[in-house]
Amino acid sequence: MMKPKKEALDIATLYNRWLNECERIKSPCTVRAFTITINNYIDFLTDVQGFKTKSFSLGKCFSRAMIEKWLCWLEKKKKCSPQSCNVRLSNLRSFLKYLSVENYKYMEIYLASTSIEQRKTTKVKIRGVSKEAIEALLNSIDTSTEVGLRDCVLWQTVYLTGMRISEALSIKLKDLNLKAKDPCVTFVGKRRNIRTSYLPSVLVENLNYYISRTFGEIYDGETFLFFSRQKGIKEPMTVKNAEMRLRKNASIANKKCKDVPLDLRPHMHNHFHLGHLVSL
């Protein structure tokens, strides 16, 4: 059996250490994006270029020329948009930068990657959605069920506060202060910054009802506000799960209101919130 080369072991060790550090200081979505990018790059090296993981070397596998080939492969074979290619390139650079900090001999590899120009992109106009469409979305959800009530309150929280879906899903019951003169919620925002958002009265009322019905009068403050059940066990709701639920809700709402986009995504709620505030 072929033994892995020392440099291949170094790369694997540093990669695991990098991911562990990212998990402590970056959001789950960012860590997931990093993981997808590196796994994609490894697939390219092994399946397309014919490298063996046990013989990986930075000089050959992470050279500027190899990264350029990868980007072309993403565009032509994987049909990735220029924006997606730029994101993947940025993620790969983050890993190479970490390598250069941990071991100075890898600095040349990182600097070479920074000289790769990003793909030209075109600005995409953000589509708006009417307040009527938002109301149709929320009214289409069957709140008589535990899942339906959760979905409705989740979308209300994202829409009325303007927070990201990942931020909403990170909220624990202890983070809510609903009895204060100015009700608010504290959550972990972008770059791990602690943020506070004041809650409108209609949302406070619905949150109180949701908590009372879902958790009862006595509950553990460490419990996540929005959760999903896996074989009867409460697990933190994932962004992927939220996206799936939103598409299902949008599909039902679209039958009654064509203004509801069928390709509705959680992050769009942030734009809707800001757009509707401007129109007030």
Side-chain angles (χ1 to χ4, degrees), residues 44-62:
F44 167 74
L45 291 175
T46 56
D47 299 342
V48 179
Q49 296 298 316
F51 286 97
K52 301 294 183 182
T53 55
K54 292 182 178 181
S55 60
F56 274 4
S57 67
L58 281 172
K60 294 180 179 179
C61 298
F62 293 86

Side-chain angles (χ1 to χ4, degrees), residues 173 207-220 234:
L173 292 173
L207 280 168
N208 276 321
Y209 176 71
Y210 167 67
I211 292 172
S212 175
R213 183 172 151 184
T214 305
F215 303 98
E217 296 299 324
I218 302 176
Y219 50 77
D220 182 2
K234 293 180 180 179

Side-chain angles (χ1 to χ4, degrees), residues 253-272:
N254 178 265
K255 295 176 181 178
K256 295 183 178 180
C257 179
K258 297 301 180 184
D259 286 348
V260 180
L262 288 173
D263 60 344
L264 197 57
R265 295 291 184 274
H267 72 274
M268 293 181 180
H269 281 63
N270 184 267
H271 301 304
F272 300 158

Side-chain angles (χ1 to χ4, degrees), residues 12 116 169 182 208 218 274-275:
I116 300 175
L169 296 180
D182 296 313
N208 276 321
I218 302 176
L274 296 176

Side-chain angles (χ1 to χ4, degrees), residues 4-277:
K5 292 184 177 179
K6 183 180 184 303
E7 192 168 16
L9 285 173
D10 288 343
I11 295 173
T13 301
L14 291 173
Y15 171 64
N16 288 328
R17 191 184 303 168
W18 173 64
L19 273 186
N20 289 334
E21 289 193 16
C22 288
E23 288 176 353
R24 292 199 303 271
I25 62 177
K26 297 187 180 295
S27 70
C29 289
T30 299
V31 175
R32 180 171 175 267
F34 284 165
T35 303
I36 290 174
T37 294
I38 301 302
N39 288 342
N40 178 275
Y41 191 76
I42 292 175
D43 289 342
F44 167 74
L45 291 175
T46 56
D47 299 342
V48 179
Q49 296 298 316
F51 286 97
K52 301 294 183 182
T53 55
K54 292 182 178 181
S55 60
F56 274 4
S57 67
L58 281 172
K60 294 180 179 179
C61 298
F62 293 86
S63 65
R64 173 176 175 170
M66 188 61 67
I67 296 174
E68 288 279 16
K69 289 180 181 179
W70 173 59
L71 293 173
C72 290
W73 177 72
L74 289 176
E75 285 181 313
K76 296 178 181 178
K77 299 297 183 181
K78 293 298 183 179
K79 306 299 180 184
C80 288
S81 66
Q83 291 91 337
S84 295
C85 289
N86 290 339
V87 170
R88 297 284 177 85
L89 175 60
S90 176
N91 292 341
L92 182 62
R93 280 176 180 165
S94 295
F95 173 54
L96 296 179
K97 182 178 181 179
Y98 178 82
L99 291 181
S100 69
V101 172
E102 290 296 305
N103 194 324
Y104 192 77
K105 72 177 183 180
Y106 299 140
M107 179 64 72
E108 183 179 355
I109 300 296
Y110 165 65
L111 292 177
S113 73
T114 62
S115 66
I116 300 175
E117 293 187 6
Q118 292 195 330
R119 269 46 182 169
K120 291 184 178 180
T121 60
T122 55
K123 290 186 178 180
V124 179
K125 185 178 180 180
I126 298 174
R127 290 181 298 157
V129 68
S130 65
K131 293 180 182 179
E132 291 73 19
I134 292 294
E135 291 176 358
L137 173 68
L138 297 176
N139 292 334
S140 68
I141 301 174
D142 181 8
T143 56
S144 66
T145 67
E146 181 183 89
V147 172
L149 180 59
R150 178 205 63 192
D151 290 350
C152 188
V153 176
L154 172 59
W155 305 136
Q156 284 182 326
T157 301
V158 173
Y159 172 65
L160 292 174
T161 63
M163 66 175 63
R164 298 174 178 82
I165 185 63
S166 59
E167 294 169 344
L169 296 180
S170 72
I171 297 173
K172 295 182 178 180
L173 292 173
K174 68 176 183 179
D175 300 325
L176 292 165
N177 190 355
L178 303 179
K179 295 181 180 181
K181 181 180 178 181
D182 296 313
C184 61
V185 58
T186 302
F187 57 93
V188 181
K190 194 172 183 180
R191 298 185 181 89
R192 293 289 178 177
N193 292 325
I194 304 300
R195 294 179 54 197
T196 298
S197 176
Y198 291 102
L199 306 173
S201 57
V202 63
L203 180 56
V204 172
E205 182 179 347
N206 291 337
L207 280 168
N208 276 321
Y209 176 71
Y210 167 67
I211 292 172
S212 175
R213 183 172 151 184
T214 305
F215 303 98
E217 296 299 324
I218 302 176
Y219 50 77
D220 182 2
E222 291 293 334
T223 303
F224 283 93
L225 178 62
F226 303 109
F227 63 88
S228 59
R229 292 186 184 276
Q230 301 291 336
K231 297 181 179 179
I233 301 175
K234 293 180 180 179
E235 297 287 350
M237 193 175 183
T238 64
V239 172
K240 186 176 181 180
N241 183 213
E243 290 174 344
M244 180 189 70
R245 294 296 307 170
L246 181 56
R247 286 196 296 271
K248 182 176 181 179
N249 297 150
S251 177
I252 295 173
N254 178 265
K255 295 176 181 178
K256 295 183 178 180
C257 179
K258 297 301 180 184
D259 286 348
V260 180
L262 288 173
D263 60 344
L264 197 57
R265 295 291 184 274
H267 72 274
M268 293 181 180
H269 281 63
N270 184 267
H271 301 304
F272 300 158
H273 165 80
L274 296 176
H276 294 167
L277 285 180

